[in-house]
Amino acid sequence: MKLVKLDSLSETAQWTYRSWRKGYPVSNNLKNWVPITEFRPMDVLLRKISESWARWRFLSPFFASHGLHIYHMEEGPPAKPPKYPLSQHTGTDIWPWARHAFETEEDLSFDFYNAVRVWPARDDNGHEVIIRLASGASEVTDELRAFHRLNTPKARSDPRNRTLPVLKYLNFDGMVFVVMPRWATEPFGPFVTFSTISELFDLAELFFEGLEFLHENRIAHRDIYHTNTVMNVLCKPGAQQGNLRAKGEVKYAFIDFDACLTLPEDADIDAVRSEREMRNQMAKLKLKPGMCNPFKDDVLCLTFEAEGMLRVAEGSIPEVGQFFDWIWGCDYEETPSATIVLQKLHQLHESLSEEQLNQPPAGKFWDRGTSLPFDATPCTTSSNPIE
């Protein structure tokens, strides 16, 4: 019988007995919580989904004891909200909760079952949260170190800290789960629309401020991609939404730090070299496997995302195109820091007139020299790759 260690002797006895009866479907080795790829035969995919759901279902009483009611999966995905309590979000919810822009409870259904280490839940007060497995039993991960560093009182008081706050750390048999507010992965998507060019600048500046903060704290994200960013809204997937980008109301954040490097706080980030983490964005940028500076990679990945949104303004504001051309024109080793990019972006923003900034965007995306109209789909390759 495997001993399942919890915070108290009674809980340890209870969960050891329960795991024995259930065959202990949960491994506390992080390497066994592997994301599910969809490039599998369907029968294998469905089996993997079932195995992942079995883990979360097994743990559901543990989370419930901490006031967290996980989403449930019946015959298959998506995972659906619990019947009780009902969601309590509103259209004007304050930090750290997302604003309510969905129509029905079904709109909150969770499709990212393939992430495996992440699952949605609702707390006793009706707030939507995400539970994330951040560390296994064998060693403390850089991800957990990053969460600790980003959630000190000093770090949370910095307005540039664009990461979700950790509401709780939960320990189960050596594993550490973090509980955070649930926001939508929409910042760089086509469905939450922009009213003005000024809102496009705000998006780029706020994320580069957030990246500057991460790098000052010696954290390299290493997987900056549009699905790893969120904004403080919960909305119906795929539905057009307007008036959610207003300055002062919208908030943005980086998520998914499983690939991050958390270095000593006195590390020289210009001198850092590590093996490149080959995530989605690297192929688009034509960055090859091998040694790299992960902080430069972060800048290039965020630039790629920002360009696809902000460069739609180039038709009326040519300086926007010149700004991105300046970054792409640098040799890799001369890639500007997040701070330098942010300074240049601020200068450009401040040089523009109110009339220019209040123009509506010419389209949803910029792609290979063209602002795509509002019914178009962007290409997935960069027009300015780093060779």
mmCIF file with all atom_site columns, all heavy atoms in Angstrom, residues 4 38 47 83 85 109 119 132 134 142 175 188-189 193 195 240 256 323 358 361 372-373:
data_model
loop_
_atom_site.group_PDB
_atom_site.id
_atom_site.type_symbol
_atom_site.label_atom_id
_atom_site.label_alt_id
_atom_site.label_comp_id
_atom_site.label_asym_id
_atom_site.label_entity_id
_atom_site.label_seq_id
_atom_site.pdbx_PDB_ins_code
_atom_site.Cartn_x
_atom_site.Cartn_y
_atom_site.Cartn_z
_atom_site.occupancy
_atom_site.B_iso_or_equiv
_atom_site.pdbx_formal_charge
_atom_site.auth_seq_id
_atom_site.auth_comp_id
_atom_site.auth_asym_id
_atom_site.auth_atom_id
_atom_site.pdbx_PDB_model_num
ATOM 1   N N   . VAL A 1 4   ? 0.177   7.939  1.147   1.00 0.00 ? 4   VAL A N   1
ATOM 2   C CA  . VAL A 1 4   ? -0.126  9.234  0.519   1.00 0.00 ? 4   VAL A CA  1
ATOM 3   C C   . VAL A 1 4   ? -0.044  10.301 1.607   1.00 0.00 ? 4   VAL A C   1
ATOM 4   O O   . VAL A 1 4   ? -0.889  10.350 2.507   1.00 0.00 ? 4   VAL A O   1
ATOM 5   C CB  . VAL A 1 4   ? -1.520  9.222  -0.130  1.00 0.00 ? 4   VAL A CB  1
ATOM 6   C CG1 . VAL A 1 4   ? -1.822  10.579 -0.767  1.00 0.00 ? 4   VAL A CG1 1
ATOM 7   C CG2 . VAL A 1 4   ? -1.600  8.116  -1.175  1.00 0.00 ? 4   VAL A CG2 1
ATOM 8   N N   . GLU A 1 38  ? -2.889  15.856 -29.948 1.00 0.00 ? 38  GLU A N   1
ATOM 9   C CA  . GLU A 1 38  ? -4.057  15.396 -30.700 1.00 0.00 ? 38  GLU A CA  1
ATOM 10  C C   . GLU A 1 38  ? -3.649  14.643 -31.957 1.00 0.00 ? 38  GLU A C   1
ATOM 11  O O   . GLU A 1 38  ? -4.494  14.259 -32.751 1.00 0.00 ? 38  GLU A O   1
ATOM 12  C CB  . GLU A 1 38  ? -4.946  16.589 -31.032 1.00 0.00 ? 38  GLU A CB  1
ATOM 13  C CG  . GLU A 1 38  ? -5.437  17.285 -29.760 1.00 0.00 ? 38  GLU A CG  1
ATOM 14  C CD  . GLU A 1 38  ? -6.665  18.128 -29.993 1.00 0.00 ? 38  GLU A CD  1
ATOM 15  O OE1 . GLU A 1 38  ? -7.445  17.821 -30.903 1.00 0.00 ? 38  GLU A OE1 1
ATOM 16  O OE2 . GLU A 1 38  ? -6.836  19.106 -29.262 1.00 0.00 ? 38  GLU A OE2 1
ATOM 17  N N   . ARG A 1 47  ? -8.517  7.516  -24.700 1.00 0.00 ? 47  ARG A N   1
ATOM 18  C CA  . ARG A 1 47  ? -8.006  6.843  -23.511 1.00 0.00 ? 47  ARG A CA  1
ATOM 19  C C   . ARG A 1 47  ? -7.163  7.794  -22.666 1.00 0.00 ? 47  ARG A C   1
ATOM 20  O O   . ARG A 1 47  ? -7.266  7.808  -21.430 1.00 0.00 ? 47  ARG A O   1
ATOM 21  C CB  . ARG A 1 47  ? -7.184  5.616  -23.902 1.00 0.00 ? 47  ARG A CB  1
ATOM 22  C CG  . ARG A 1 47  ? -6.767  4.774  -22.686 1.00 0.00 ? 47  ARG A CG  1
ATOM 23  C CD  . ARG A 1 47  ? -6.036  3.516  -23.037 1.00 0.00 ? 47  ARG A CD  1
ATOM 24  N NE  . ARG A 1 47  ? -4.674  3.765  -23.485 1.00 0.00 ? 47  ARG A NE  1
ATOM 25  C CZ  . ARG A 1 47  ? -4.232  3.588  -24.709 1.00 0.00 ? 47  ARG A CZ  1
ATOM 26  N NH1 . ARG A 1 47  ? -5.050  3.157  -25.667 1.00 0.00 ? 47  ARG A NH1 1
ATOM 27  N NH2 . ARG A 1 47  ? -2.976  3.827  -25.032 1.00 0.00 ? 47  ARG A NH2 1
ATOM 28  N N   . LYS A 1 83  ? -22.666 22.184 -10.923 1.00 0.00 ? 83  LYS A N   1
ATOM 29  C CA  . LYS A 1 83  ? -24.039 22.700 -10.825 1.00 0.00 ? 83  LYS A CA  1
ATOM 30  C C   . LYS A 1 83  ? -24.193 23.657 -9.646  1.00 0.00 ? 83  LYS A C   1
ATOM 31  O O   . LYS A 1 83  ? -25.095 24.496 -9.632  1.00 0.00 ? 83  LYS A O   1
ATOM 32  C CB  . LYS A 1 83  ? -25.016 21.536 -10.704 1.00 0.00 ? 83  LYS A CB  1
ATOM 33  C CG  . LYS A 1 83  ? -25.009 20.620 -11.932 1.00 0.00 ? 83  LYS A CG  1
ATOM 34  C CD  . LYS A 1 83  ? -26.112 19.584 -11.867 1.00 0.00 ? 83  LYS A CD  1
ATOM 35  C CE  . LYS A 1 83  ? -26.044 18.622 -13.047 1.00 0.00 ? 83  LYS A CE  1
ATOM 36  N NZ  . LYS A 1 83  ? -26.102 19.294 -14.335 1.00 0.00 ? 83  LYS A NZ  1
ATOM 37  N N   . PRO A 1 85  ? -21.576 25.915 -6.653  1.00 0.00 ? 85  PRO A N   1
ATOM 38  C CA  . PRO A 1 85  ? -22.403 27.126 -6.722  1.00 0.00 ? 85  PRO A CA  1
ATOM 39  C C   . PRO A 1 85  ? -22.424 27.709 -8.130  1.00 0.00 ? 85  PRO A C   1
ATOM 40  O O   . PRO A 1 85  ? -21.572 27.370 -8.948  1.00 0.00 ? 85  PRO A O   1
ATOM 41  C CB  . PRO A 1 85  ? -21.684 28.067 -5.756  1.00 0.00 ? 85  PRO A CB  1
ATOM 42  C CG  . PRO A 1 85  ? -20.246 27.663 -5.843  1.00 0.00 ? 85  PRO A CG  1
ATOM 43  C CD  . PRO A 1 85  ? -20.258 26.163 -6.029  1.00 0.00 ? 85  PRO A CD  1
ATOM 44  N N   . SER A 1 109 ? -17.586 26.145 -20.411 1.00 0.00 ? 109 SER A N   1
ATOM 45  C CA  . SER A 1 109 ? -17.046 24.793 -20.571 1.00 0.00 ? 109 SER A CA  1
ATOM 46  C C   . SER A 1 109 ? -15.586 24.841 -20.992 1.00 0.00 ? 109 SER A C   1
ATOM 47  O O   . SER A 1 109 ? -15.162 25.725 -21.735 1.00 0.00 ? 109 SER A O   1
ATOM 48  C CB  . SER A 1 109 ? -17.871 24.009 -21.596 1.00 0.00 ? 109 SER A CB  1
ATOM 49  O OG  . SER A 1 109 ? -19.185 23.808 -21.125 1.00 0.00 ? 109 SER A OG  1
ATOM 50  N N   . TRP A 1 119 ? -6.706  22.491 -14.566 1.00 0.00 ? 119 TRP A N   1
ATOM 51  C CA  . TRP A 1 119 ? -8.125  22.152 -14.549 1.00 0.00 ? 119 TRP A CA  1
ATOM 52  C C   . TRP A 1 119 ? -8.916  23.311 -13.947 1.00 0.00 ? 119 TRP A C   1
ATOM 53  O O   . TRP A 1 119 ? -8.456  23.946 -12.997 1.00 0.00 ? 119 TRP A O   1
ATOM 54  C CB  . TRP A 1 119 ? -8.365  20.881 -13.749 1.00 0.00 ? 119 TRP A CB  1
ATOM 55  C CG  . TRP A 1 119 ? -9.610  20.165 -14.165 1.00 0.00 ? 119 TRP A CG  1
ATOM 56  C CD1 . TRP A 1 119 ? -10.839 20.211 -13.554 1.00 0.00 ? 119 TRP A CD1 1
ATOM 57  C CD2 . TRP A 1 119 ? -9.767  19.335 -15.318 1.00 0.00 ? 119 TRP A CD2 1
ATOM 58  N NE1 . TRP A 1 119 ? -11.746 19.442 -14.249 1.00 0.00 ? 119 TRP A NE1 1
ATOM 59  C CE2 . TRP A 1 119 ? -11.116 18.888 -15.347 1.00 0.00 ? 119 TRP A CE2 1
ATOM 60  C CE3 . TRP A 1 119 ? -8.911  18.924 -16.339 1.00 0.00 ? 119 TRP A CE3 1
ATOM 61  C CZ2 . TRP A 1 119 ? -11.620 18.057 -16.337 1.00 0.00 ? 119 TRP A CZ2 1
ATOM 62  C CZ3 . TRP A 1 119 ? -9.404  18.088 -17.330 1.00 0.00 ? 119 TRP A CZ3 1
ATOM 63  C CH2 . TRP A 1 119 ? -10.744 17.663 -17.323 1.00 0.00 ? 119 TRP A CH2 1
ATOM 64  N N   . ARG A 1 132 ? -3.585  24.533 -11.037 1.00 0.00 ? 132 ARG A N   1
ATOM 65  C CA  . ARG A 1 132 ? -2.455  24.134 -11.874 1.00 0.00 ? 132 ARG A CA  1
ATOM 66  C C   . ARG A 1 132 ? -1.440  23.354 -11.043 1.00 0.00 ? 132 ARG A C   1
ATOM 67  O O   . ARG A 1 132 ? -1.039  23.806 -9.967  1.00 0.00 ? 132 ARG A O   1
ATOM 68  C CB  . ARG A 1 132 ? -1.774  25.362 -12.483 1.00 0.00 ? 132 ARG A CB  1
ATOM 69  C CG  . ARG A 1 132 ? -0.596  25.015 -13.383 1.00 0.00 ? 132 ARG A CG  1
ATOM 70  C CD  . ARG A 1 132 ? 0.003   26.239 -14.055 1.00 0.00 ? 132 ARG A CD  1
ATOM 71  N NE  . ARG A 1 132 ? 1.128   25.863 -14.899 1.00 0.00 ? 132 ARG A NE  1
ATOM 72  C CZ  . ARG A 1 132 ? 1.031   25.473 -16.162 1.00 0.00 ? 132 ARG A CZ  1
ATOM 73  N NH1 . ARG A 1 132 ? -0.143  25.424 -16.744 1.00 0.00 ? 132 ARG A NH1 1
ATOM 74  N NH2 . ARG A 1 132 ? 2.100   25.137 -16.865 1.00 0.00 ? 132 ARG A NH2 1
ATOM 75  N N   . ALA A 1 134 ? 2.028   22.639 -10.286 1.00 0.00 ? 134 ALA A N   1
ATOM 76  C CA  . ALA A 1 134 ? 3.240   23.422 -10.553 1.00 0.00 ? 134 ALA A CA  1
ATOM 77  C C   . ALA A 1 134 ? 4.522   22.687 -10.197 1.00 0.00 ? 134 ALA A C   1
ATOM 78  O O   . ALA A 1 134 ? 5.603   23.081 -10.647 1.00 0.00 ? 134 ALA A O   1
ATOM 79  C CB  . ALA A 1 134 ? 3.193   24.743 -9.788  1.00 0.00 ? 134 ALA A CB  1
ATOM 80  N N   . ASP A 1 142 ? 11.340  25.159 -11.576 1.00 0.00 ? 142 ASP A N   1
ATOM 81  C CA  . ASP A 1 142 ? 11.517  26.592 -11.821 1.00 0.00 ? 142 ASP A CA  1
ATOM 82  C C   . ASP A 1 142 ? 10.168  27.299 -11.870 1.00 0.00 ? 142 ASP A C   1
ATOM 83  O O   . ASP A 1 142 ? 10.055  28.470 -11.496 1.00 0.00 ? 142 ASP A O   1
ATOM 84  C CB  . ASP A 1 142 ? 12.269  26.815 -13.136 1.00 0.00 ? 142 ASP A CB  1
ATOM 85  C CG  . ASP A 1 142 ? 13.776  26.801 -12.951 1.00 0.00 ? 142 ASP A CG  1
ATOM 86  O OD1 . ASP A 1 142 ? 14.241  26.310 -11.894 1.00 0.00 ? 142 ASP A OD1 1
ATOM 87  O OD2 . ASP A 1 142 ? 14.503  27.267 -13.843 1.00 0.00 ? 142 ASP A OD2 1
ATOM 88  N N   . MET A 1 175 ? 3.162   16.877 -4.190  1.00 0.00 ? 175 MET A N   1
ATOM 89  C CA  . MET A 1 175 ? 2.834   17.755 -5.308  1.00 0.00 ? 175 MET A CA  1
ATOM 90  C C   . MET A 1 175 ? 2.349   19.107 -4.786  1.00 0.00 ? 175 MET A C   1
ATOM 91  O O   . MET A 1 175 ? 1.756   19.189 -3.705  1.00 0.00 ? 175 MET A O   1
ATOM 92  C CB  . MET A 1 175 ? 1.747   17.133 -6.183  1.00 0.00 ? 175 MET A CB  1
ATOM 93  C CG  . MET A 1 175 ? 2.163   15.844 -6.864  1.00 0.00 ? 175 MET A CG  1
ATOM 94  S SD  . MET A 1 175 ? 0.845   15.179 -7.919  1.00 0.00 ? 175 MET A SD  1
ATOM 95  C CE  . MET A 1 175 ? -0.313  14.582 -6.685  1.00 0.00 ? 175 MET A CE  1
ATOM 96  N N   . PHE A 1 188 ? -4.531  38.328 -27.798 1.00 0.00 ? 188 PHE A N   1
ATOM 97  C CA  . PHE A 1 188 ? -4.055  38.423 -29.172 1.00 0.00 ? 188 PHE A CA  1
ATOM 98  C C   . PHE A 1 188 ? -4.981  37.688 -30.139 1.00 0.00 ? 188 PHE A C   1
ATOM 99  O O   . PHE A 1 188 ? -4.572  37.299 -31.223 1.00 0.00 ? 188 PHE A O   1
ATOM 100 C CB  . PHE A 1 188 ? -2.631  37.870 -29.263 1.00 0.00 ? 188 PHE A CB  1
ATOM 101 C CG  . PHE A 1 188 ? -1.627  38.686 -28.494 1.00 0.00 ? 188 PHE A CG  1
ATOM 102 C CD1 . PHE A 1 188 ? -1.261  38.312 -27.200 1.00 0.00 ? 188 PHE A CD1 1
ATOM 103 C CD2 . PHE A 1 188 ? -1.055  39.812 -29.038 1.00 0.00 ? 188 PHE A CD2 1
ATOM 104 C CE1 . PHE A 1 188 ? -0.343  39.060 -26.478 1.00 0.00 ? 188 PHE A CE1 1
ATOM 105 C CE2 . PHE A 1 188 ? -0.136  40.582 -28.324 1.00 0.00 ? 188 PHE A CE2 1
ATOM 106 C CZ  . PHE A 1 188 ? 0.219   40.204 -27.035 1.00 0.00 ? 188 PHE A CZ  1
ATOM 107 N N   . GLY A 1 189 ? -6.230  37.506 -29.728 1.00 0.00 ? 189 GLY A N   1
ATOM 108 C CA  . GLY A 1 189 ? -7.192  36.805 -30.562 1.00 0.00 ? 189 GLY A CA  1
ATOM 109 C C   . GLY A 1 189 ? -8.096  37.760 -31.311 1.00 0.00 ? 189 GLY A C   1
ATOM 110 O O   . GLY A 1 189 ? -8.136  38.961 -31.041 1.00 0.00 ? 189 GLY A O   1
ATOM 111 N N   . THR A 1 193 ? -12.636 42.540 -29.785 1.00 0.00 ? 193 THR A N   1
ATOM 112 C CA  . THR A 1 193 ? -12.172 43.518 -30.769 1.00 0.00 ? 193 THR A CA  1
ATOM 113 C C   . THR A 1 193 ? -11.618 44.785 -30.122 1.00 0.00 ? 193 THR A C   1
ATOM 114 O O   . THR A 1 193 ? -11.869 45.071 -28.944 1.00 0.00 ? 193 THR A O   1
ATOM 115 C CB  . THR A 1 193 ? -13.315 43.891 -31.718 1.00 0.00 ? 193 THR A CB  1
ATOM 116 O OG1 . THR A 1 193 ? -14.418 44.393 -30.950 1.00 0.00 ? 193 THR A OG1 1
ATOM 117 C CG2 . THR A 1 193 ? -13.771 42.674 -32.511 1.00 0.00 ? 193 THR A CG2 1
ATOM 118 N N   . SER A 1 195 ? -11.385 48.967 -30.329 1.00 0.00 ? 195 SER A N   1
ATOM 119 C CA  . SER A 1 195 ? -12.145 50.116 -30.818 1.00 0.00 ? 195 SER A CA  1
ATOM 120 C C   . SER A 1 195 ? -11.246 51.163 -31.452 1.00 0.00 ? 195 SER A C   1
ATOM 121 O O   . SER A 1 195 ? -11.661 51.863 -32.381 1.00 0.00 ? 195 SER A O   1
ATOM 122 C CB  . SER A 1 195 ? -12.939 50.757 -29.668 1.00 0.00 ? 195 SER A CB  1
ATOM 123 O OG  . SER A 1 195 ? -13.840 49.832 -29.098 1.00 0.00 ? 195 SER A OG  1
ATOM 124 N N   . GLN A 1 240 ? -18.039 37.180 -31.090 1.00 0.00 ? 240 GLN A N   1
ATOM 125 C CA  . GLN A 1 240 ? -17.505 38.536 -31.215 1.00 0.00 ? 240 GLN A CA  1
ATOM 126 C C   . GLN A 1 240 ? -17.884 39.344 -29.980 1.00 0.00 ? 240 GLN A C   1
ATOM 127 O O   . GLN A 1 240 ? -19.039 39.364 -29.551 1.00 0.00 ? 240 GLN A O   1
ATOM 128 C CB  . GLN A 1 240 ? -18.089 39.198 -32.461 1.00 0.00 ? 240 GLN A CB  1
ATOM 129 C CG  . GLN A 1 240 ? -17.391 40.476 -32.855 1.00 0.00 ? 240 GLN A CG  1
ATOM 130 C CD  . GLN A 1 240 ? -16.232 40.227 -33.797 1.00 0.00 ? 240 GLN A CD  1
ATOM 131 O OE1 . GLN A 1 240 ? -15.818 39.089 -33.977 1.00 0.00 ? 240 GLN A OE1 1
ATOM 132 N NE2 . GLN A 1 240 ? -15.721 41.266 -34.405 1.00 0.00 ? 240 GLN A NE2 1
ATOM 133 N N   . ASP A 1 256 ? 1.168   30.116 -17.838 1.00 0.00 ? 256 ASP A N   1
ATOM 134 C CA  . ASP A 1 256 ? 1.895   28.912 -18.254 1.00 0.00 ? 256 ASP A CA  1
ATOM 135 C C   . ASP A 1 256 ? 3.417   29.094 -18.174 1.00 0.00 ? 256 ASP A C   1
ATOM 136 O O   . ASP A 1 256 ? 4.075   29.343 -19.183 1.00 0.00 ? 256 ASP A O   1
ATOM 137 C CB  . ASP A 1 256 ? 1.486   28.474 -19.666 1.00 0.00 ? 256 ASP A CB  1
ATOM 138 C CG  . ASP A 1 256 ? 0.107   27.847 -19.694 1.00 0.00 ? 256 ASP A CG  1
ATOM 139 O OD1 . ASP A 1 256 ? -0.533  27.792 -18.627 1.00 0.00 ? 256 ASP A OD1 1
ATOM 140 O OD2 . ASP A 1 256 ? -0.323  27.413 -20.771 1.00 0.00 ? 256 ASP A OD2 1
ATOM 141 N N   . PHE A 1 323 ? 9.019   50.698 -36.593 1.00 0.00 ? 323 PHE A N   1
ATOM 142 C CA  . PHE A 1 323 ? 9.352   50.189 -35.255 1.00 0.00 ? 323 PHE A CA  1
ATOM 143 C C   . PHE A 1 323 ? 9.628   48.688 -35.305 1.00 0.00 ? 323 PHE A C   1
ATOM 144 O O   . PHE A 1 323 ? 10.646  48.207 -34.795 1.00 0.00 ? 323 PHE A O   1
ATOM 145 C CB  . PHE A 1 323 ? 8.204   50.498 -34.292 1.00 0.00 ? 323 PHE A CB  1
ATOM 146 C CG  . PHE A 1 323 ? 8.252   49.751 -32.991 1.00 0.00 ? 323 PHE A CG  1
ATOM 147 C CD1 . PHE A 1 323 ? 9.125   50.127 -31.987 1.00 0.00 ? 323 PHE A CD1 1
ATOM 148 C CD2 . PHE A 1 323 ? 7.421   48.656 -32.770 1.00 0.00 ? 323 PHE A CD2 1
ATOM 149 C CE1 . PHE A 1 323 ? 9.184   49.436 -30.783 1.00 0.00 ? 323 PHE A CE1 1
ATOM 150 C CE2 . PHE A 1 323 ? 7.462   47.960 -31.579 1.00 0.00 ? 323 PHE A CE2 1
ATOM 151 C CZ  . PHE A 1 323 ? 8.338   48.353 -30.578 1.00 0.00 ? 323 PHE A CZ  1
ATOM 152 N N   . ASN A 1 358 ? -7.154  57.732 -31.988 1.00 0.00 ? 358 ASN A N   1
ATOM 153 C CA  . ASN A 1 358 ? -8.577  57.427 -31.861 1.00 0.00 ? 358 ASN A CA  1
ATOM 154 C C   . ASN A 1 358 ? -9.174  56.808 -33.121 1.00 0.00 ? 358 ASN A C   1
ATOM 155 O O   . ASN A 1 358 ? -10.370 56.494 -33.156 1.00 0.00 ? 358 ASN A O   1
ATOM 156 C CB  . ASN A 1 358 ? -9.356  58.689 -31.493 1.00 0.00 ? 358 ASN A CB  1
ATOM 157 C CG  . ASN A 1 358 ? -9.104  59.105 -30.049 1.00 0.00 ? 358 ASN A CG  1
ATOM 158 O OD1 . ASN A 1 358 ? -8.824  58.267 -29.196 1.00 0.00 ? 358 ASN A OD1 1
ATOM 159 N ND2 . ASN A 1 358 ? -9.178  60.403 -29.778 1.00 0.00 ? 358 ASN A ND2 1
ATOM 160 N N   . PRO A 1 361 ? -8.968  50.506 -35.852 1.00 0.00 ? 361 PRO A N   1
ATOM 161 C CA  . PRO A 1 361 ? -7.991  49.697 -36.585 1.00 0.00 ? 361 PRO A CA  1
ATOM 162 C C   . PRO A 1 361 ? -8.494  49.363 -37.983 1.00 0.00 ? 361 PRO A C   1
ATOM 163 O O   . PRO A 1 361 ? -9.697  49.250 -38.224 1.00 0.00 ? 361 PRO A O   1
ATOM 164 C CB  . PRO A 1 361 ? -7.862  48.429 -35.731 1.00 0.00 ? 361 PRO A CB  1
ATOM 165 C CG  . PRO A 1 361 ? -8.340  48.824 -34.375 1.00 0.00 ? 361 PRO A CG  1
ATOM 166 C CD  . PRO A 1 361 ? -9.400  49.857 -34.604 1.00 0.00 ? 361 PRO A CD  1
ATOM 167 N N   . LEU A 1 372 ? -5.271  42.470 -42.523 1.00 0.00 ? 372 LEU A N   1
ATOM 168 C CA  . LEU A 1 372 ? -6.339  41.569 -42.945 1.00 0.00 ? 372 LEU A CA  1
ATOM 169 C C   . LEU A 1 372 ? -7.690  42.113 -42.509 1.00 0.00 ? 372 LEU A C   1
ATOM 170 O O   . LEU A 1 372 ? -7.834  42.628 -41.400 1.00 0.00 ? 372 LEU A O   1
ATOM 171 C CB  . LEU A 1 372 ? -6.125  40.181 -42.343 1.00 0.00 ? 372 LEU A CB  1
ATOM 172 C CG  . LEU A 1 372 ? -4.825  39.477 -42.749 1.00 0.00 ? 372 LEU A CG  1
ATOM 173 C CD1 . LEU A 1 372 ? -4.788  38.094 -42.126 1.00 0.00 ? 372 LEU A CD1 1
ATOM 174 C CD2 . LEU A 1 372 ? -4.702  39.365 -44.263 1.00 0.00 ? 372 LEU A CD2 1
ATOM 175 N N   . PRO A 1 373 ? -8.707  41.982 -43.361 1.00 0.00 ? 373 PRO A N   1
ATOM 176 C CA  . PRO A 1 373 ? -10.042 42.457 -42.995 1.00 0.00 ? 373 PRO A CA  1
ATOM 177 C C   . PRO A 1 373 ? -10.620 41.654 -41.844 1.00 0.00 ? 373 PRO A C   1
ATOM 178 O O   . PRO A 1 373 ? -10.081 40.625 -41.438 1.00 0.00 ? 373 PRO A O   1
ATOM 179 C CB  . PRO A 1 373 ? -10.850 42.279 -44.284 1.00 0.00 ? 373 PRO A CB  1
ATOM 180 C CG  . PRO A 1 373 ? -10.122 41.216 -45.040 1.00 0.00 ? 373 PRO A CG  1
ATOM 181 C CD  . PRO A 1 373 ? -8.670  41.393 -44.705 1.00 0.00 ? 373 PRO A CD  1
#
